[in-house]
Amino acid sequence: MRSTFPRSSVLVLGANSVQSLVPSTLISQVESLLDSHRIEDALDLAVRQRKKLQANISIDEDEADELRYVYQRIGFQCFAETRFVEAMNCFFDGEVDPRLVISYYPELRGSMFTSDDSMDVFAGVAERMPLEASVEDIVRNYSPHLSPNTRSAPSTAELRKILVAEANEKLELFLTRWRARWKVEGGDVAGGSTNTSRSAVPCLEVVDTVIAKLYAQHEKTQELYNLFHEPHQISVSEIEPIMKRNGQYNALCMLYTEKGQDTQLLEVWAKLIDGEWTDEDIKDPLSDMIKLLTEKRDRTLTQHWGLWITKRDAERGLQANIFLLSNPSH
């Protein structure tokens, strides 16, 4: 962030010096308020400054950076104190890199990025980010209203679950808002952007995949379908385990179909046909399997799955095999 020096109109001339009376900067005021644990006052100050900037005809980038810094500082302070609603709102207003927030959710982060990946963050913010490795640790360690703490007091286990659930819920809201803003401001979720000044492309796969994981975890099936119908950059290898664990097989089939992963698609249908898995949104997996084999006319797939179908439905399997063998593609 470029330095913004406050201007002074008052100089005090001494015998051996000249002193200047300068107003407190936005950052110094907010830091002072946070040090005094006056978070609401810090938020009010940030809101007033944002309204002031929005009223200007043109935005001063130095002042905009100051405001981003302030929101991020307040956000991580709230995050450390399990005030997840305020934290996520500040992260959004401060345009924080979503990966910084997701890094506190190891299960959702998976192997999509590590601490070695490059992320933009203000030095002053990085120095004051929570030291805990996860949201669970933050909740466990920050319990000023409970005694002794959530680690050793079984009676507080339910509250811990509620706080962690809220952290996940608010993360989902933050990421969906971030994604919506990215599209509105000229981003192309399929991989490009008309706004190159603040490129967010490295975040897209992470954001899309984590949103999909949260939808699967919370059984938001329709939202998951809607996400797959939009341009997206969801990582198949990251989303597969959680979708299988939560029984989101139709959504998984949609993803395999989009990516052209025919073998994996056939394997899902096979488990559904054999009753190992169930999904009411997949009405007739055997017909789906025959249709795919008919369309692809792949000799390797036909030899394997044609015999497999015949063992389970001799009539339909024989018809499919006769058609496929008489109309081979390759």
Side-chain angles (χ1 to χ4, degrees), residues 19 74 82 91 107 128-129 165 195-196 200 207 211 268 278 328:
Q19 297 181 341
I74 299 171
T82 69
F91 291 152
E107 182 180 352
R128 296 170 176 83
M129 289 172 62
N195 179 4
T196 57
V207 170
I211 291 175
V268 172
T278 60

Side-chain angles (χ1 to χ4, degrees), residues 153-166:
S155 61
T156 65
E158 186 61 28
L159 177 57
R160 175 176 174 269
K161 288 174 60 178
I162 291 172
L163 288 172
V164 171
E166 182 183 46

